[in-house]
């Protein structure tokens, strides 16, 4: 349609409201990577694997590898409460490579809100598949994914 503003590429808008959660997703800033890495390296599954805060921070840091890095924040707050890394395109649909909420924000519906957003965003770009992976001992993630129909 002539005169319509261009739509952002899937998963690449500056911000997204997460329905019913009071939170939003936004592009991860470089200064947010290290604190998130430190907070998440201390919990499972990353603590069991011995993943360092520096390695997680490197995964979260903006880079040219094509990964989409987003933070979860409460509306009106600047402190990230979670992080999302997506690979898109990936095989026959987007891959949710990483989803985690920092301690204190787990079990409050933010992960579920991210999953609903992820599904809707994938559908809006015509993806017929989405990919998610969880280790067998990550009971919290497995409960979340199972409760959402995975």
């Amino acid at each position: 349609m002539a005169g319509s503003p261009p739509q952002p590429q899937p998963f690449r808008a500056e911000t997204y409201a997460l329905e019913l959660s009071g939170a939003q997703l936004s592009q991860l800033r470089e200064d947010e990577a290290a604190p998130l890495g430190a907070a998440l390296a201390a919990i499972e599954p990353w603590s069991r694997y011995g993943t360092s805060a520096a390695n997680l921070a490197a995964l979260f840091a903006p880079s040219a590898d094509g990964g989409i890095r987003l933070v979860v924040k409460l509306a009106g707050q600047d402190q990230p409460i979670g992080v999302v890394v997506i690979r898109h395109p990936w095989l026959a649909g987007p891959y949710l490579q990483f989803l985690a909420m920092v301690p204190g924000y787990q079990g409050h519906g933010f992960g579920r809100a991210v999953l609903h957003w992820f599904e809707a965003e994938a559908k809006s770009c015509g993806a017929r598949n989405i990919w998610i992976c969880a280790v067998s001992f990550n009971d919290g993630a497995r409960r979340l994914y199972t409760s959402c129909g995975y």
Side-chain angles (χ1 to χ4, degrees), residues 44-126:
E44 288 210 4
W46 307 284
S47 62
R48 187 180 293 197
Y49 281 129
T51 305
S52 71
N55 284 348
L56 286 175
L59 171 65
F60 304 152
S63 75
D65 69 1
I68 300 156
R69 289 150 172 90
L70 304 167
V71 289
V72 181
K73 294 181 179 178
L74 295 175
Q77 303 280 327
D78 193 49
Q79 184 70 27
I81 63 167
V83 63
V84 178
V85 178
I86 298 167
R87 299 290 173 178
H88 179 73
W90 179 267
L91 299 175
Y95 169 42
L96 184 64
Q97 181 181 357
F98 196 98
L99 168 60
M101 299 299 135
V102 298
Y105 293 94
Q106 298 168 345
H108 296 284
F110 300 114
R112 178 178 303 279
V114 169
L115 285 175
H116 289 300
W117 164 82
F118 180 66
E119 292 169 359
E121 189 74 2
K123 187 176 182 179
S124 75
C125 70

Side-chain angles (χ1 to χ4, degrees), residues 119-144:
E119 292 169 359
E121 189 74 2
K123 187 176 182 179
S124 75
C125 70
R128 296 183 60 194
N129 299 296
I130 57 176
W131 302 92
I132 295 174
C133 181
V135 298
S136 62
F137 61 83
N138 190 344
D139 295 331
R142 292 179 58 214
R143 274 192 307 275
L144 171 63

